[in-house]
Amino acid sequence: MTNSYRLIPNMNILLEEFKDYPPHIVKEVSNQILDLYRNKIKENKVDFETKDILDDISNALKNYNEFSLKSTINASGVILHTNLGRAILSEKSIERINEIARGYSNLEYNLEEGKRGSRYTHLVETVKKVTGCEDAIIVNNNAAAVFLMLNTFCKAKDVVISRGELVEIGDSFRISEIMKQSGANLIEVGATNRTHLFDYEDNITENTNALMKVHTSNYKVIGFSESVGADKLKDLAKENGLYVFEDLGSGSLVDFSEYGLSYERTVQDSIKDGVDLVSFSCDKMIGSAQGGIICGKSKLIKKIKKNQLLRAFRVGKLTLAAVEATLNSYLDLDKAKKDVPTVNMITMSLVEIEQKAQKLYELLSKIKGIKLSIEKSYSKVGGGAYPEDVLESRAICIDNVNINKLEEHLRLSKYHIISTVHDDKLFLDLRCIFNDQFEMIKEVLKSYYE
Ligand SMILES: *Cc1c(COP(=O)(O)O)cnc(C)c1O
């Protein structure tokens, strides 16, 4: 019986065998696995060879270095899938990240004057050109942007906001809670479905500093409903010497109503209506890296720059590089449709999606035993935008196997393909799948069937 212990390799042999890995990791990983095999011997279950142990250690070492953050293939048809990392970046943004990451930059250096500069200067000109605002600042995300607006101007002051606009975004985050944390007193007015101008008017007191509008991103109040536009709030604010702030949430720069979506307010609309400050996310409809932009009146932006808390929300150079490049694409809308993946996927024609579906269908039909069809499907914008709208799309549909098992196989495969299952069928929506992912999908499906 004791002879079985000879099957357990000596640590020096293991260190030699796996010398490509750091010795302390080989020791740690090997000891865990050797313990399992020693226990087997103790329990008289000697059903292994030394090779099995080496294989286990080899696999464990490979896993030891595995990244937790992995790439996925988005076959869900949801363009801004919050769980899948929201927007994907344009090639130009990726190039710029690469370029800036590789070397030193003028992040906080004024090249003309040869002295200290500010990281907040870099985006201003582009945001001004794209939105028509006076000035702008970028922070870590839109939640931080809303917080800073209120913390800077409404600490211990009243902010009047409609009950119909107290949004809860994903993962039980309530925008109203963030507002309260900023130190502002939220004065909720109106009813859930209807808020009138007089609701705001009646609640203005000496302690009021701002009227606030929040875009109802992920829901719509329909039926017997009414809300007050920012333009009307602006007039009321002016009469009373108050600010008007707007949290646009997804913050589109493009009116997508000619692409089958309903009309949603753009950042430009907000600026035109004369709001003092408007904030929006950079990784929702804009289609860039995580960030939040506040833009509007120059005098107010200057004050935000003096808020000590800004430091806690500041963005890094990689974000600046990405967002500047993305916004640059919007200077020419035709360019944005081509270059910014989010805009491209929203404006993608059904003909183009059908062609993609046909190509993938033909490729996958070569797999033995697979049963496929091309079906009508519906994509969504996601990211808390256009909650009511769907975009007609096409999907590859598979239905003659254990669908839940297949879904898991796709998800756990090395490419992590995220599909949807309904009516006992599995769907791969083509809108967010790139052409260069077709072969990967084939490889994974082939390994399931063959
Ligand atoms: C998404 C959203 C936010 C939060 O934006 P992040 O960039 O995710 O921090 C805030 N307000 C509204 C209305 C939103 O839709």
Side-chain angles (χ1 to χ4, degrees), residues 86 141-143 167 169 175 214-215 217 247 249-250 281 283-284 291:
R86 282 197 188 158
N141 55 21
N142 186 35
V167 188
I169 50 178
I175 208 68
V214 178
H215 184 59
S217 309
D247 169 12
S250 48
S281 285
D283 56 347
K284 290 183 178 172

Side-chain angles (χ1 to χ4, degrees), residues 202-216:
D202 292 350
N203 284 283
I204 294 172
T205 68
E206 272 173 13
N207 203 39
T208 309
N209 245 16
L211 309 178
M212 175 115 192
K213 272 208 74 78
V214 178
H215 184 59
T216 60

Side-chain angles (χ1 to χ4, degrees), residues 113-325:
E113 296 175 14
K115 60 179 195 197
R116 192 189 170 97
S118 157
R119 72 178 60 214
Y120 297 110
T121 56
H122 299 296
L123 264 185
V124 176
E125 289 312 312
T126 318
V127 180
K128 273 160 86 170
K129 281 182 207 147
V130 176
T131 68
C133 69
E134 286 178 13
D135 202 355
I137 191 163
I138 180 168
V139 289
N140 204 21
N141 55 21
N142 186 35
V146 172
F147 181 96
L148 266 181
M149 285 199 286
L150 294 178
N151 181 266
T152 308
F153 299 100
C154 302
K155 214 168 157 186
K157 294 283 183 183
D158 292 356
V159 182
V160 186
I161 180 169
S162 161
R163 281 206 175 85
E165 298 175 4
L166 296 169
V167 188
E168 175 171 308
I169 50 178
D171 217 9
S172 71
F173 250 108
R174 294 204 171 131
I175 208 68
S176 54
E177 286 305 315
I178 293 168
M179 292 172 161
K180 280 177 201 157
Q181 298 277 342
S182 75
N185 306 325
L186 287 198
I187 308 296
E188 301 166 11
V189 302
T192 310
N193 57 336
R194 307 192 88 195
T195 303
H196 309 270
L197 192 62
F198 63 74
D199 288 316
Y200 291 91
E201 203 166 6
D202 292 350
N203 284 283
I204 294 172
T205 68
E206 272 173 13
N207 203 39
T208 309
N209 245 16
L211 309 178
M212 175 115 192
K213 272 208 74 78
V214 178
H215 184 59
T216 60
S217 309
N218 46 13
Y219 66 98
K220 262 206 170 85
V221 182
I222 52 169
F224 188 58
S225 64
E226 183 161 330
S227 63
V228 184
D231 50 339
K232 296 222 174 63
L233 285 189
K234 181 63 210 165
D235 296 337
L236 178 62
K238 213 167 166 187
E239 283 164 31
N240 292 277
L242 306 173
Y243 298 119
V244 174
F245 298 146
E246 183 163 20
D247 169 12
L248 260 191
S250 48
S252 181
L253 293 169
V254 181
D255 171 8
F256 287 104
S257 54
E258 59 177 293
Y259 297 97
L261 293 174
S262 45
Y263 166 76
E264 273 204 14
R265 243 169 115 61
T266 61
V267 180
Q268 294 92 318
D269 292 338
S270 198
I271 296 294
K272 252 188 236 135
D273 283 344
V275 304
D276 292 289
L277 293 173
V278 52
S279 78
F280 52 94
S281 285
C282 297
D283 56 347
K284 290 183 178 172
M285 295 297 284
I286 303 288
S288 195
Q290 182 190 302
I293 290 176
I294 309 172
C295 63
K297 303 278 158 64
S298 191
K299 218 170 75 191
L300 279 73
I301 297 286
K302 279 206 181 81
K303 251 189 120 177
I304 290 178
K305 282 188 184 157
K306 293 206 178 102
N307 189 329
Q308 287 290 314
L309 274 173
L310 177 61
R311 174 83 184 204
F313 298 134
R314 76 177 190 179
V315 288
K317 58 190 175 183
L318 303 186
T319 303
L320 280 169
V323 176
E324 188 180 19

Side-chain angles (χ1 to χ4, degrees), residues 362-378:
E362 276 159 29
L363 192 69
L364 299 182
S365 323
K366 300 201 179 91
I367 298 169
K368 285 189 207 90
I370 198 166
K371 189 170 156 250
L372 300 166
S373 58
I374 298 176
E375 301 284 338
K376 192 190 224 180
S377 65
Y378 293 98

